[in-house]
Amino acid sequence: MATKKIIAICQSGGEFQTENDGSLSYRGGDAHAIDIDDQMKFSDFKMEVAEMFNCSFGAMSIKYFLPGNRKTLITVSNDKDLERMIKFHGDSITADVYIVMEENGADDVSNMSDSRSSRTTLSEAVPPLELPLDVVDDTTQPNIPLGAPLDIDGPNHIDAHFNLPPEVLSVRPLSVVPYEKHAKAAEQWQDTITGVGQRFSTVHEFRETLRKYAIAHQFAFKYKKNDSHRVTVKCKAEGCPWRIHASRLSATQLSICIKTMNPTHTCGGSAVTVGHQSWVASIIKEKLKIFPDYKPKDIVNDIKQEYGIQLNYCQAWRGKEIAKEQLQGSYKDAYGQLPFLCDKIMETNPGSLATFTTKEDSSFQRLFIAFHASLSGFVQGCRPLLFLDSIPLKSKYQGILLTATAADGNDSVFPVAFAFVDAETNDNWHWFLSQLKSALSTSCPLTFVADRQKGLRESISEIFKDSYHGYCLHYLTEQLIRDLKGQFSRDVKGIMIEDLYRAAFAPRPEEFHKITEGIKSLSLEAYNWIMQSEPQNWANSLFQGARYNHMKSNFGELFYSWASDADELPITQMVDVIRGEIMELIYFRRTDSDQWLTRLTPSMEEKLEKESLKVSALQVQLTTGSEFEVQGESTEVVDMDGWDCSCKGWQLTGLPCCHAIAVINCIGRSPYDYCSRYFSTESYRLTYAESVKPIPDMDWAMQNDYSEAVMTVTPPTRRPPGRPTTKKVGLQEAMKRQLQCSKCKGLGHNKATCKELL
């Protein structure tokens, strides 16, 4: 594939101004040009921009406009974003890129009560967390071990119950390697503490500076006094006179000043256990912003190499969690912003539906979102066919993503609605379908492709009356293998799965029964299972709805990739990531379809062409009325008035089969006149006619105390320790090799344990 290249016109130092039509213009500043292509890494691009404008790598963000839309700025924050920007400007030689300098986070608010148990939340820019691991606090504060969850009560509660795997709960203090191996990165901190009279803007800044100073000089310390307005520290080594005391300059000021200091050490720095997870977080935060998959084991190696400090896995993991929350915001606060989020979605995207529910204890239960652009696109241009599926999330809190997707005229996935729920239950699926019903303004009977379990069978028939429910063939096959587990060899299971698929796709009842009789010859139990699994809900020859040959519900895999990119973010940011993906998907496909000159979408044109190539071998027998006989390898009857062929290909796909096209040619009509309207380019453009609008920044809600005027929402149950369930993408269980004896050919043992040889 050819590499796409464009020239990025990078502009910085100016300002955006809003014009009368709502569009944005950029005025002033400097501009430089950089050659980029779709192979370039985001980190390399950002570094080149930072060097060009002589600005801080971590304090800038990169933004651009979509072509033809100067009302919405898109942020570039990773390799995928950069590649997408290049793709959007593929027809242009240049792309305007804007460098926006971010302001530093607000300083730590140190005007707290004297007790150290009153602390700020992790979402603040510089959170004063627990005391250093190596620090012995002689005040009256309790000694909380690192392995225990931090659950500190107070007006500024820390939400820090990290889900640690059992193997990392055994914790050691941070240790420093011998000085001769000490990295140069720590040497820059040797003069961070200069002596009496030195001032710091907050008590938190003083503590952080003191930690760095101790690391550089290879000694450990302990607090004698440690509160919001004074800090007294002495060397941890017994008998060492080193000591420092800092306090506020006055009762009305937040700044801290060193009042006394004895800089002499007699201990030789032998007590070398210094460090703190908040310090680790401050060190790795910028790198984590660029590399979100920064692993704890890599953090351990980097900290040792650059600063000479030996962490264990748990300490690196906790530091990463703190840094993530500082970068992304508080998971807990995000749930409190849901009322604001729902209101703003419906305000900025009229016709959308965004609603949530909580449990009796005000904890989050479920959130449903359907944008107007998705609802309108489905009703106006998509087949009345919906796919329902679920995706487990790896979020800090337990959750499942429920999705409803459709197939557009080009047979690509079209997102309709989604919901975050605390668990996949019958009740949550029923609620999701109820909200979907209220959001869709259509009286047309719908066909659903979904699992038959988890209450879906009952909920679909109850909420969407006169609808059709096609059982997902993927889930059906998995259930068959589970129910017959251990009774058959791998080869026999493979044959059963293959025959089940053939039976499902068979267009006529006689073919279905012929295939199932073959299964009966293999296993009467498997045959009985299949006949009792309601084949009228999954076999093409018996199904009454219109599935257009779509047999599986995992048509929503697009949501799976989106969720994989965002499921570790707070819930409001997850919603915004999905919203942004839908917005770009609609824009890209609408722009792409503007270039089409065919009556049908490209994929449907290709399918129609393939059927047309088969016509030359067919012979049409002209008759009176609307029915025609077509002879070829088989003889089929075509009913032109009913858009029906005895081969059932026309009815199953919505496109004329080769027999129908042969008749259409004979009567002098165009095959396009007999194609489903959903496959036309016009319907496709109607599907993507509306746009998803941006939503205001969630920080607005907190700044304006919006959350105080509405109901409180607290986080749901935390995700249990261990790896979360992953979505199965194939019949792995069915394909596992079963142990077979090479002597007696029996199952479940090998020749070494074969009883036939005893």
Side-chain angles (χ1 to χ4, degrees):
M1 181 182 294
T3 301
K4 291 186 178 179
K5 296 182 179 180
I6 61 172
I7 300 173
I9 308 301
C10 303
Q11 303 173 60
S12 178
E15 60 181 14
F16 289 100
Q17 295 184 3
T18 304
E19 305 296 340
N20 294 332
D21 60 354
S23 63
L24 297 174
S25 62
Y26 192 79
R27 299 180 182 177
D30 299 325
H32 296 277
I34 299 177
D35 292 324
I36 60 176
D37 56 46
D38 54 10
Q39 303 300 314
M40 191 174 202
K41 297 294 184 183
F42 171 70
S43 57
D44 296 337
F45 176 55
K46 189 173 181 181
M47 184 63 70
E48 189 170 345
V49 171
E51 293 175 356
M52 179 177 292
F53 288 102
N54 193 26
C55 58
S56 172
F57 181 86
M60 70 178 187
S61 61
I62 300 174
K63 301 178 182 292
Y64 69 96
F65 288 112
L66 291 173
N69 178 3
R70 294 191 63 84
K71 296 183 180 181
T72 306
L73 281 167
I74 307 298
T75 301
V76 182
S77 56
N78 52 44
D79 292 341
K80 183 179 177 182
D81 290 343
L82 182 61
E83 183 179 351
R84 189 180 292 115
M85 182 189 80
I86 296 171
K87 183 185 296 183
F88 284 148
H89 293 84
D91 296 332
S92 304
I93 300 176
T94 63
D96 289 328
V97 176
Y98 305 95
I99 313 305
V100 179
M101 303 307 298
E102 300 174 350
E103 296 181 0
N104 293 329
D107 286 341
D108 174 32
V109 179
S110 300
N111 189 17
M112 302 181 290
S113 64
D114 288 351
S115 172
R116 285 286 292 152
S117 64
S118 175
R119 304 173 187 271
T120 57
T121 64
L122 289 173
S123 62
E124 294 186 24
V126 281
L129 284 170
E130 188 49 79
L131 301 178
L133 301 179
D134 60 298
V135 174
V136 178
D137 192 352
D138 289 351
T139 64
T140 59
Q141 306 307 316
N143 182 22
I144 303 175
L146 181 61
L150 299 176
D151 192 9
I152 305 172
D153 296 326
N156 298 304
H157 171 71
I158 292 183
D159 180 27
H161 290 276
F162 299 119
N163 293 318
L164 291 175
E167 61 269 21
V168 301
L169 289 178
S170 178
V171 180
R172 303 185 304 274
L174 311 183
S175 59
V176 181
V177 298
Y179 188 78
E180 57 269 18
K181 295 183 180 180
H182 197 235
K184 292 183 179 180
E187 295 178 6
Q188 61 183 315
W189 298 334
Q190 290 185 353
D191 297 324
T192 52
I193 299 284
T194 58
V196 176
Q198 185 179 1
R199 297 186 182 187
F200 305 86
S201 58
T202 64
V203 69
H204 173 80
E205 181 186 345
F206 172 68
R207 294 190 192 105
E208 288 298 308
T209 304
L210 182 60
R211 288 190 188 103
K212 295 176 181 179
Y213 179 83
I215 290 171
H217 289 272
Q218 295 286 283
F219 73 93
F221 61 85
K222 60 183 179 181
Y223 288 102
K224 300 297 291 183
K225 296 184 186 301
N226 187 25
D227 52 45
S228 63
H229 60 278
R230 59 182 178 177
V231 178
T232 302
V233 175
K234 62 175 292 186
C235 181
K236 190 176 180 180
E238 189 69 29
C240 182
W242 186 93
R243 181 184 177 93
I244 192 170
H245 171 77
S247 62
R248 288 184 185 175
L249 290 172
S250 68
T252 60
Q253 293 183 339
L254 296 179
S255 58
I256 296 291
C257 179
I258 297 177
K259 299 293 183 64
T260 61
M261 179 179 179
N262 184 345
T264 303
H265 274 288
T266 60
C267 62
S270 58
V272 288
T273 54
V274 292
H276 190 281
Q277 278 91 10
S278 64
W279 173 81
V280 175
S282 68
I283 294 298
I284 68 172
K285 185 161 61 175
E286 289 304 319
K287 188 169 183 178
L288 188 64
K289 188 185 298 184
I290 304 171
F291 303 104
D293 295 329
Y294 197 14
K295 292 181 172 55
K297 65 178 183 179
D298 296 327
I299 295 173
V300 170
N301 294 334
D302 291 349
I303 292 292
K304 181 177 180 180
Q305 181 179 355
E306 296 179 22
Y307 299 98
I309 297 176
Q310 181 65 59
L311 307 179
N312 62 28
Y313 183 94
C314 174
Q315 293 158 347
W317 188 89
R318 276 177 168 258
K320 178 182 176 181
E321 290 299 302
I322 295 171
K324 281 169 56 179
E325 197 143 350
Q326 291 174 356
L327 290 170
Q328 300 167 355
S330 167
Y331 288 86
K332 179 181 177 181
D333 290 346
Y335 286 98
Q337 296 170 0
L338 289 181
F340 170 81
L341 173 67
C342 291
D343 286 349
K344 286 301 174 183
I345 286 177
M346 292 191 288
E347 178 184 320
T348 56
N349 292 265
S352 302
L353 177 60
T355 184
F356 69 96
T357 66
T358 60
K359 298 178 181 178
E360 292 182 358
D361 60 357
S362 296
S363 63
F364 172 81
Q365 186 177 21
R366 47 208 178 193
L367 167 69
F368 175 91
I369 295 175
F371 291 102
H372 171 68
S374 294
L375 297 171
S376 174
F378 172 71
V379 173
Q380 296 296 324
C382 291
R383 288 159 271 183
L385 174 66
L386 284 172
F387 304 85
L388 305 179
D389 206 2
S390 62
I391 300 166
L393 300 173
K394 295 185 293 183
S395 175
K396 180 177 180 178
Y397 295 99
Q398 188 167 300
I400 299 288
L401 180 65
L402 306 182
T403 65
T405 54
D408 65 22
N410 203 38
D411 250 358
S412 297
V413 60
F414 180 73
V416 177
F418 60 97
F420 296 93
V421 297
D422 57 351
E424 188 176 8
T425 62
N426 296 2
D427 183 51
N428 281 340
W429 268 118
H430 188 279
W431 180 83
F432 176 78
L433 290 170
S434 297
Q435 303 307 314
L436 183 62
K437 172 71 172 178
S438 65
L440 289 172
S441 57
T442 178
S443 58
C444 177
L446 299 177
T447 296
F448 291 89
V449 179
D451 192 2
R452 62 175 179 168
Q453 298 184 348
K454 302 156 189 165
L456 281 167
R457 176 170 51 185
E458 295 77 16
S459 295
I460 289 174
S461 60
E462 175 189 338
I463 297 169
F464 289 89
K465 300 185 185 303
D466 300 323
S467 64
Y468 304 95
H469 182 182
Y471 296 160
C472 170
L473 199 55
H474 171 79
Y475 289 117
L476 193 72
T477 309
E478 281 194 334
Q479 188 178 353
L480 169 64
I481 297 303
R482 283 197 303 269
D483 291 348
L484 302 179
K485 187 175 182 180
Q487 299 183 26
F488 304 97
S489 68
R490 180 191 180 198
D491 291 340
V492 173
K493 286 182 179 180
I495 293 172
M496 286 184 183
I497 293 171
E498 184 179 340
D499 285 348
L500 181 63
Y501 271 71
R502 288 175 56 225
F505 280 95
R508 291 181 279 214
E510 56 269 24
E511 295 177 27
F512 170 81
H513 291 298
K514 181 180 178 180
I515 296 169
T516 53
E517 285 297 318
I519 297 176
K520 187 176 182 179
S521 66
L522 285 174
S523 167
L524 179 60
E525 183 184 358
Y527 171 80
N528 290 334
W529 188 96
I530 289 172
M531 300 312 291
Q532 293 169 11
S533 64
E534 302 171 294
Q536 67 273 16
N537 288 94
W538 54 265
N540 269 343
S541 60
L542 307 176
F543 189 63
Q544 298 300 308
R547 283 185 300 187
Y548 298 87
N549 253 357
H550 286 286
M551 310 294 280
K552 298 180 182 180
S553 64
N554 61 351
F555 200 66
E557 289 293 334
L558 188 65
F559 267 111
Y560 183 72
S561 65
W562 293 346
S564 298
D565 292 339
D567 60 3
E568 293 189 10
L569 296 173
I571 187 169
T572 51
Q573 294 186 37
M574 274 196 282
V575 170
D576 201 52
V577 167
I578 294 176
R579 178 203 61 79
E581 296 284 4
I582 295 175
M583 179 182 72
E584 293 186 9
L585 179 89
I586 290 176
Y587 172 83
F588 181 78
R589 291 183 179 172
R590 180 171 60 229
T591 304
D592 193 31
S593 67
D594 288 340
Q595 311 301 318
W596 297 350
L597 302 176
T598 54
R599 288 183 61 178
L600 301 183
T601 63
S603 68
M604 296 305 164
E605 284 281 353
E606 183 179 349
K607 291 179 181 180
L608 188 63
E609 178 64 25
K610 286 182 179 180
E611 289 298 313
S612 299
L613 294 176
K614 304 174 186 178
V615 170
S616 59
L618 303 177
Q619 186 175 4
V620 178
Q621 300 294 326
L622 298 177
T623 63
T624 58
S626 63
E627 292 190 351
F628 296 82
E629 184 178 290
V630 181
Q631 296 178 346
E633 292 183 0
S634 62
T635 300
E636 307 293 347
V637 177
V638 177
D639 180 1
M640 296 303 296
D641 288 346
W643 287 30
D644 178 68
C645 178
S646 57
C647 77
K648 300 303 178 184
W650 197 353
Q651 300 93 305
L652 291 175
T653 63
L655 290 173
C657 60
C658 59
H659 312 105
I661 295 174
V663 175
I664 291 169
N665 291 342
C666 282
I667 63 177
R669 298 291 299 275
S670 169
Y672 293 112
D673 297 334
Y674 293 91
C675 296
S676 171
R677 72 174 182 86
Y678 301 113
F679 301 150
S680 68
T681 298
E682 180 183 0
S683 291
Y684 185 92
R685 288 171 179 162
L686 287 174
T687 302
Y688 296 98
E690 300 288 340
S691 299
V692 176
K693 306 298 192 301
I695 304 170
D697 191 343
M698 289 299 103
D699 291 339
W700 185 95
M702 305 306 294
Q703 296 169 1
N704 294 272
D705 295 326
Y706 182 89
S707 57
E708 295 181 2
V710 294
M711 65 183 297
T712 301
V713 184
T714 59
T717 305
R718 286 177 172 272
R719 178 169 57 82
R723 294 182 181 274
T725 303
T726 55
K727 186 176 179 64
K728 292 183 179 180
V729 295
L731 300 172
Q732 299 173 359
E733 184 179 2
M735 295 295 103
K736 285 182 180 177
R737 183 175 181 179
Q738 193 165 359
L739 196 63
Q740 186 174 24
C741 178
S742 60
K743 293 292 185 182
C744 71
K745 306 304 179 183
L747 301 176
H749 66 276
N750 57 24
K751 68 177 182 179
T753 57
C754 181
K755 295 180 180 180
E756 296 289 331
L757 301 179
L758 299 178

